[in-house]
Amino acid sequence: MSLPENTTVLIVGAGPAGLAAALSLSHHGCHDFVIVDAIAKGQNASRAITIHSATVEKHSAHPYVLLSPQNVTELVLGRKLRSLGVQVQRPHRVVGMKQNEKDPRITEVSFEDGQVIRARYIIGADGARSTIRTILGIGFSDPDGPNLVNNLMTQMITADVTFEPEPTGSLTTEGHLNIILSSDGFFMLVPFGNHFNAELMRDGKPVTKSIFRVLCTIPVKNGEPPHAPPKEYIQDLIDAYGPTCITSDPSLNTTPVKLDQLVWSTRFRTHSAIADRAFTRLGAAIFLVGDAAHIHSPAGGQGMNLAIRDAIFLAEAVTKHIQAFAEDPDVDDTILQECAEVRHARALEIVGFTKKLLRVASLTHDAYAWWMPFSLASIRDLVLRIVGRFDFVQSRMAWSLSGLGRR
């Protein structure tokens, strides 16, 4: 598909951040933009599933956590964008950028197929391996340095699965998030029910049974997990670390269940990184949002939320700058720089917050010292059982997770 030669705003990447940026631009009255993505069609894997209050409360009150697979979120955002007459242009992979020789505020963006777009603003929403960030030579590293997290939590797997027979019990109630802490890390179980079966397809065919999201830490002593963990690997993890209601071990579960379909699986590491800067110029004003600007552990389900909020606030700032430029072609970048600095600060806060959560979850059950036969993990569990009963503690934790205090 041919691309226009010129646009005011070019959005690179059509994940949640890129789609949210496009919708926010439209909301604020900017319609001269193009959104491109390198892949031929959107992915059907669920990936991130948590949407917090601060992300959905932009225009109305939603005091809860919304569980929705990332591909469903992208589907909803994409449909809304199409209803506004905007289509994601696919597949178009960026391979180069250079400043326009005639207009110093325009960048020429080159694509793999030879096409070129000239843009005044570029939003890089192209993921953790961002091409935009790489071309600009912007550094991407952990702000606190490497290896600061207990290796108990350095590697994890996550998967969407079905069981046969379907498990029963309180832990299988739809929408409930269940976490089991153990000496080897933690195991998470989230029942989706049948709500997303049509979107979470297996080999092109919809899944008919209830789908469960599982997430499990992989002890370093067990070696590195496979890139796409197979069914047998996931079953072994469930039997070793999961709740009894989904184990296949008859000695633990009177009604043994086995993993039936492996809808999707992946592995990942819980490292953090943040771009040295989220705004720069190479002719055009260029921004990094979402995973292109920052990555961190999945603790607290913050990643996709921060990405979407990045995009919403940035698009508003870009629109204001476009309007200011129309009135004064010599306008400076104060509006853009201030927005970028705020989003960079928010990212640093989230990186620190997720590290704290990870450190708490990483406490081991080994005795603290010979003279103190208690482990830090047992102390953590005791404290959580006691103080977790108080409403104000629950409210404070919910507020921290929701993002309402750090939009």
Side-chain angles (χ1 to χ4, degrees):
M1 183 178 293
S2 61
L3 297 170
E5 295 182 355
N6 300 281
T7 186
T8 300
V9 184
L10 173 64
I11 303 171
V12 181
L19 293 169
L23 288 169
S24 188
L25 285 171
S26 294
H27 176 76
H28 289 99
C30 175
H31 303 290
D32 184 22
F33 64 85
V34 174
I35 178 170
V36 300
D37 198 272
I39 61 175
K41 62 178 181 179
Q43 300 184 36
N44 68 340
S46 62
R47 294 164 288 161
I49 62 173
T50 307
I51 304 178
H52 287 295
S53 297
T55 306
V56 291
E57 274 194 2
K58 182 64 178 175
H59 304 294
S60 59
H62 297 273
Y64 52 79
V65 174
L66 176 65
L67 296 179
S68 174
Q70 182 173 325
N71 65 308
V72 176
T73 300
E74 292 177 5
L75 182 65
V76 172
L77 296 176
R79 284 175 178 170
K80 178 62 178 178
L81 197 58
R82 288 193 296 275
S83 75
L84 299 175
V86 179
Q87 189 77 29
V88 176
Q89 306 297 314
R90 304 175 183 270
H92 295 289
R93 186 181 301 277
V94 173
V95 294
M97 297 190 297
K98 68 175 183 177
Q99 187 174 20
N100 182 268
E101 295 179 358
K102 295 181 179 179
D103 190 332
R105 288 204 171 194
I106 288 179
T107 293
E108 297 178 2
V109 181
S110 304
F111 293 87
E112 196 172 47
D113 60 3
Q115 297 190 71
V116 176
I117 289 183
R118 290 182 287 271
R120 290 190 176 276
Y121 303 84
I122 299 170
I123 299 176
D126 52 340
R129 296 181 176 85
S130 171
T131 299
I132 301 299
R133 189 186 66 235
T134 301
I135 292 173
L136 293 171
I138 295 176
F140 194 59
S141 60
D142 191 320
D144 300 316
N147 303 320
L148 293 183
V149 177
N150 187 312
N151 63 12
L152 189 66
M153 297 285 184
T154 57
Q155 52 186 21
M156 300 184 181
I157 65 92
T158 186
D160 293 335
V161 303
T162 66
F163 293 101
E164 175 60 38
E166 294 197 14
T168 59
S170 59
L171 298 186
T172 65
T173 304
E174 292 179 22
H176 284 210
L177 188 152
N178 309 284
I179 293 177
I180 298 175
L181 293 171
S182 69
S183 58
D184 288 315
F186 75 87
F187 184 98
M188 184 180 77
L189 176 70
V190 183
F192 285 157
N194 300 99
H195 294 293
F196 308 115
N197 287 30
E199 292 81 14
L200 301 179
M201 296 187 294
R202 172 70 176 174
D203 299 328
K205 298 179 181 179
V207 180
T208 57
K209 295 181 179 179
S210 296
I211 297 175
F212 294 79
R213 161 64 61 89
V214 297
L215 184 148
C216 185
T217 55
I218 308 300
V220 174
K221 64 183 181 183
N222 291 5
E224 188 176 272
H227 176 70
K231 182 176 177 180
E232 296 74 21
Y233 187 90
I234 303 294
Q235 181 69 69
D236 290 342
L237 292 175
I238 290 173
D239 290 341
Y241 306 112
T244 56
C245 66
I246 60 170
T247 182
S248 64
D249 187 346
S251 67
L252 298 175
N253 188 2
T254 56
T255 308
V257 299
K258 290 188 176 182
L259 194 153
D260 184 27
Q261 287 181 292
L262 178 58
V263 181
W264 165 80
S265 68
T266 191
R267 70 178 182 190
F268 59 92
R269 290 188 173 275
T270 58
H271 63 286
S272 301
I274 189 166
D276 293 344
R277 58 191 187 279
F279 166 67
T280 190
R281 273 195 178 272
L282 181 66
I286 306 176
F287 309 87
L288 300 175
V289 296
D291 286 354
H294 41 70
I295 58 173
H296 46 76
S297 88
Q302 301 294 310
M304 183 171 65
N305 292 271
L306 183 60
I308 291 174
R309 297 200 295 271
D310 278 350
I312 290 172
F313 289 111
L314 172 61
E316 182 178 3
V318 167
T319 304
K320 289 179 179 179
H321 195 267
I322 291 171
Q323 295 168 348
F325 179 78
E327 298 173 2
D328 177 12
D330 296 321
V331 65
D332 62 23
D333 290 334
T334 300
I335 296 173
L336 305 176
Q337 188 65 48
E338 288 180 348
C339 178
E341 289 174 356
V342 169
R343 299 321 303 168
H344 186 77
R346 289 291 181 272
L348 286 172
E349 289 180 28
I350 292 296
V351 167
F353 177 63
T354 58
K355 284 185 175 182
K356 288 178 182 177
L357 291 178
L358 207 60
R359 280 195 290 269
V360 171
S362 298
L363 295 177
T364 69
H365 288 268
D366 299 328
Y368 182 71
W370 65 267
W371 46 267
M372 182 179 168
F374 300 104
S375 67
L376 293 177
S378 62
I379 295 174
R380 171 202 63 200
D381 296 344
L382 178 61
V383 171
L384 288 176
R385 276 196 296 269
I386 295 174
V387 303
R389 298 175 182 176
F390 295 101
D391 290 342
F392 77 90
V393 174
Q394 296 176 13
S395 297
R396 181 58 184 266
M397 192 61 190
W399 178 262
S400 297
L401 290 169
S402 72
L404 293 171
R406 55 169 80 89
R407 290 178 187 272

